[in-house]
Every structure is written in C-alpha cells, then in structure tokens.
Amino acid sequence: MMKAIQITQPFELNVIDVEMPACGEGEVLLRIRYVGFCGSDLNTWRGGNAMAKAGVIPGHEVGAEIAAVGPGVPDTLRPGMTVTVDPYTACGHCASCRNGRFNACEFNQTLGVQRDGAMREFFVVPWQKVIVTEGLAVRDCALVEPLSVGFHAVSRAQVTEKDVVAVFGCGMIGMGAIIGASLRGATVVAMDIDDEKLAVAKAVGAKYTVNTAYEDVQEGISELTNGLLADVVIEAVGLPVTQRQAIAIVGFTGRVVFIGYAKDQTTFRTPDFVKKELDIYGSRNACPEDFRAVIEYLKRGTCPYDQLITSVVKPEEAADAMRHWHENPGKVFRILVEF
C-alpha cells in the first residue's frame, strides 16, 4: 500500500491508502516526488468544479523520477530520470484531434479532474505521456505544466517583439503568459489586484504593471501606448468584468485570448469587437512544444522559484494548506505536496 491524497467531499481532503501500482506493456512507473495544487483543485475542494469526478485524487503538476519501465518502452526512458507528465488525454477522433489540436480534445480527461491524478507516492502512465526534464531539479518540474498553459496562450496569439501584451491575472497561468510573451521580446503589461503578485510579474519579465483595484485599466493602457491600446490581451482570470475589459483595452485589429473560465455568463456589445475587427481566441491546456519551451526557460536558471512556490508541505499537512489557500486566495501561487 502507499499514500495518496483524496478530495472526499467539499471542504474535506484526506490522506488515504491505495494499492501500489505495477507497470505493464508500454507503461512507466513514476516515483512521485512533488505535485502542485492548482486552481482547479481548489475549486474541486470547494465543491465548485463541475468537471471533477466525485472523490477524485488530484494532481497533474508533477515532478517525478522514473522508478521502472515496462516492456515496449523506448530506451530513451530509463530508471532514475527526472521527468514531468503530460496530464491530458486525446480520443483521436473528435474534430480537435482530427485537426491535430490534441490539447483541445472534446473528450479530454485531465489527471486529477475527470480522472484520478498523481497525488500519490507512485503512479503509472503510458510512456508517451512522460516528458524528460533532465537538468531541472525534480521539485521545479512541478511548475512546468501550469506555466505551459500560459505559454500556449502566447502561442495562440502569435506574439512577436512588436507587440504590447496586456495580461489580466498574475496567478501561475498568468505568470506563464507574462514569461512566454517577454521571452518573445514583447512589451508586457501585467494587471492584478495584488501588489505583491505584480512585483513578481516584474521579476519574470513584465515591463509595466497596473493594479486594477485602484487604477483605471483603460486609461493606464492608453497612456502606455499613446492611445493605440494593446496589440494582444490575455485574460487569465475568468471573470465577466475582466473578459469585457479585455475587449475594451485591445486596439483595433488586435488579438484577445481567453484562458479563464467564467462561472457566470459574460455579455459583450458586438460592435466593440466587430468595429475593431478583433481576433478572439480560446486557449486550453498546452501542447508538447509549450512544455518544451517552458523546460528550456527553466533551465536558464532565471526563474524566481522561491517567489512562485508559496509552500512545500507533506501529505499530512495538505488539508491545512488548502484551507489556508481558501482563506487567502490572493497570496498563494503554488503549494507543492512532497512525497
């Protein structure tokens, strides 16, 4: 038997015992070292994640080592390697898969959401889902997936060095977008209601910041761009107010990327984006190339890990850590559980 963490019901998280797995044909047994709690886990714990299965074992932000490989696994994957995991599935038959956009599979099941995840001592995955991260500390591998989601949004917007990119939300996903856009040479404006998060945003590449709690967003962007507004706006909050503001602060013929899910319906005035002839994109999950780009960024050694990793806790401390996050939602980037 081994330890695992389960969200048993709203506002209840427990350490449980589950069977030790073994890897079969084409599978890899991972020794899980670190797993991150993400915003979807917090929503599941609160009982507000309609996509999550009941009694789910969370965990899709993984830092692990290969413990064993089964028959049929390529020799490029060997015991002892440091790895992370691609946590998504693809059916291969839906419209997204037929178009080669497997990250947006209609029937995707993300680890720790629609199916049990990796928050346990050992975990088995198909070899195709293992991403080698040699050169990174195993702890830091748990940051790869959430940052990749932000990188994917930057890719969707086709950001270049000529762009002014405004990012709503400086959580981990927004940080990924800020880093990804700044690596492409863009001028990045970070927007959030928390000055501490905005300071971290500057540390990872934002040139300007706007505290939307007390600064006028549209006026601020207009001043920074001499009235042209932003070339790209990435919305990583998921609130109707910021989704509407995204349309308002993007310039004519600009691009808007929505990552955040709004719980309530968002209404728009269509002339606001028809007259501007905007390109409006959804952005979901991440692609293998996004994972690779994040890994290369982290290998540079410039990432302020200590500012992005709020705390590292043992499984027995996870319930208290989740309660702390619930009570202080603006003060947490990532909580990692160490096995």
Side-chain angles (χ1 to χ4, degrees), residues 193-275:
I193 61 173
D194 187 278
D195 284 327
E196 291 179 21
K197 287 190 172 181
L198 291 171
V200 179
K202 275 211 163 183
V204 300
K207 186 172 183 179
Y208 304 105
T209 61
V210 176
N211 189 312
T212 58
Y214 54 82
E215 297 181 74
D216 185 287
V217 176
Q218 191 158 356
E219 183 179 302
I221 296 295
S222 182
E223 287 180 2
L224 292 172
T225 60
N226 295 317
L228 295 176
L229 303 179
D231 300 292
V232 175
V233 180
I234 297 175
E235 202 280 345
V237 178
L239 292 174
V241 61
T242 49
Q243 290 176 337
R244 284 191 291 268
Q245 285 177 326
I247 300 296
I249 69 168
V250 71
F252 275 62
T253 67
R255 291 98 77 197
V256 179
V257 184
F258 291 122
I259 310 174
Y261 285 82
K263 294 179 182 178
D264 300 315
Q265 189 175 41
T266 303
T267 57
F268 298 100
R269 293 182 64 256
T270 54
D272 292 341
F273 54 82
V274 173
K275 285 191 299 183

Side-chain angles (χ1 to χ4, degrees), residues 61-77:
E61 302 175 357
V62 176
E65 296 163 349
I66 296 178
V69 297
V73 173
D75 59 11
T76 51
L77 298 175

